[in-house]
Amino acid sequence: MEAGSDVDVCAKWSETLRVYHNTSCELENELQSRHDLGLSEFEVLLILGRTCGDQAEGKAKMKDIEAEMYLSQSALSRTVTRLEKAGLVTRAACDFDRRANFLMLTPSGRERFEAAKPTHRAVLVKHLTVPGDSQRAEACS
Amino acid sequence: MEAGSDVDVCAKWSETLRVYHNTSCELENELQSRHDLGLSEFEVLLILGRTCGDQAEGKAKMKDIEAEMYLSQSALSRTVTRLEKAGLVTRAACDFDRRANFLMLTPSGRERFEAAKPTHRAVLVKHLTVPGDSQRAEACS
DNA sequence: GAAACTTACATGCACGCGCATTGGATGTCA
DNA sequence: TGACATCCAATGCGCGTGCATGTAAGTTTC
């Protein structure tokens, strides 16, 4: 079992495709309708929010964010532009290297992010939890 | 193990994202550069080719194809238009229900599909095979 | 059999993406 | 200091996608 024969590889790919599409479509829809956020936009907030949790003041360099996402440099640039227009994020020049930009969560951005987090988590739990599992998915932070 | 706690669900989603993006990007690139086919286009050929293998003459109804793909009706329509312009596929009206279209592989389409199949399989094997596996991935049809 | 509804497919439109290019800031070497 | 390579981010462009809509064909109801 767990072999790499043609059939198995195809089946594995089909399953990956199924999970990916179902999950990302619902993520997109839920985040959009409930919080007016696209999936890419939320993911940027997620990285900023996580960094912020480390007491790093919610800053992150564009390049570092790009490295953590499956998004081209140009797409990230535009995603950040959208977030900036929505007032959720601010660009700030880096003192050390003026080629680079820092990105910072605004209070409004943090608020929106915290509101959207449960929605995000709920969709993941719904699609990625094995049915027979006996854990209490909705009982944690 | 295999629980649905926050951390586990996030890790599972990260892994799915990683596998999906790496695989689909390379599929797209390889199919495009080697066979001048987009991923969606190949997937349509795959369905037609598979049906054809059943001696069903390589026909399939648009609706049936749509049901097997993670693609909207409009996107499928345009994908088929591209395939038709490339001469790989023909649309044929259905006798029974003139709203419906059959889709058929042309000889050229079958040829292109057969040429692309190994490329497709190779990418899947590369990304979806567990490293420690002891099977001979490249030895099968 | 006419009207109302449903289904199959195509198309107008807006949007997000990747690629290629540009422009500005650094770094390097002579 | 000047010339050149490198790096970061923004932008022009084309493309594929989904949503909403349009058109034609089939189905249902009376």
Side-chain angles (χ1 to χ4, degrees), chain A residues 54-79:
Chain A
D54 301 351
Q55 288 300 338
E57 307 172 51
K59 285 184 180 179
K61 276 193 286 194
M62 291 285 281
K63 273 293 156 189
D64 295 339
I65 295 175
E66 186 188 338
E68 294 196 51
M69 294 182 65
Y70 298 97
L71 207 54
S72 69
Q73 179 267 321
S74 64
L76 174 60
S77 177
R78 286 183 230 263
T79 301

Side-chain angles (χ1 to χ4, degrees), chain B residues 19-45:
Chain B
V19 171
Y20 172 80
H21 273 102
N22 290 343
T23 308
S24 65
C25 283
E26 187 163 344
L27 272 179
E28 184 77 50
N29 292 337
E30 291 291 289
L31 290 173
Q32 191 61 252
S33 61
R34 291 182 195 275
H35 309 284
D36 195 34
L37 284 173
L39 183 48
S40 295
E41 284 149 38
F42 177 81
E43 282 170 351
V44 170
L45 296 187

Side-chain angles (χ1 to χ4, degrees), chain B residues 37-97:
Chain B
L37 284 173
L39 183 48
S40 295
E41 284 149 38
F42 177 81
E43 282 170 351
V44 170
L45 296 187
L46 190 60
I47 291 172
L48 284 174
R50 181 164 50 66
T51 305
C52 197
D54 300 352
Q55 289 300 338
E57 308 172 50
K59 285 186 181 179
K61 276 192 285 193
M62 292 284 281
K63 274 293 155 189
D64 296 340
I65 295 175
E66 186 188 339
E68 294 196 51
M69 295 182 66
Y70 297 97
L71 206 54
S72 68
Q73 179 268 320
S74 64
L76 175 61
S77 175
R78 287 183 231 263
T79 300
V80 168
T81 300
R82 290 193 296 274
L83 286 169
E84 201 176 23
K85 275 182 185 164
L88 306 179
V89 134
T90 38
R91 286 186 226 246
C94 171
D95 299 333
F96 300 52
D97 183 347

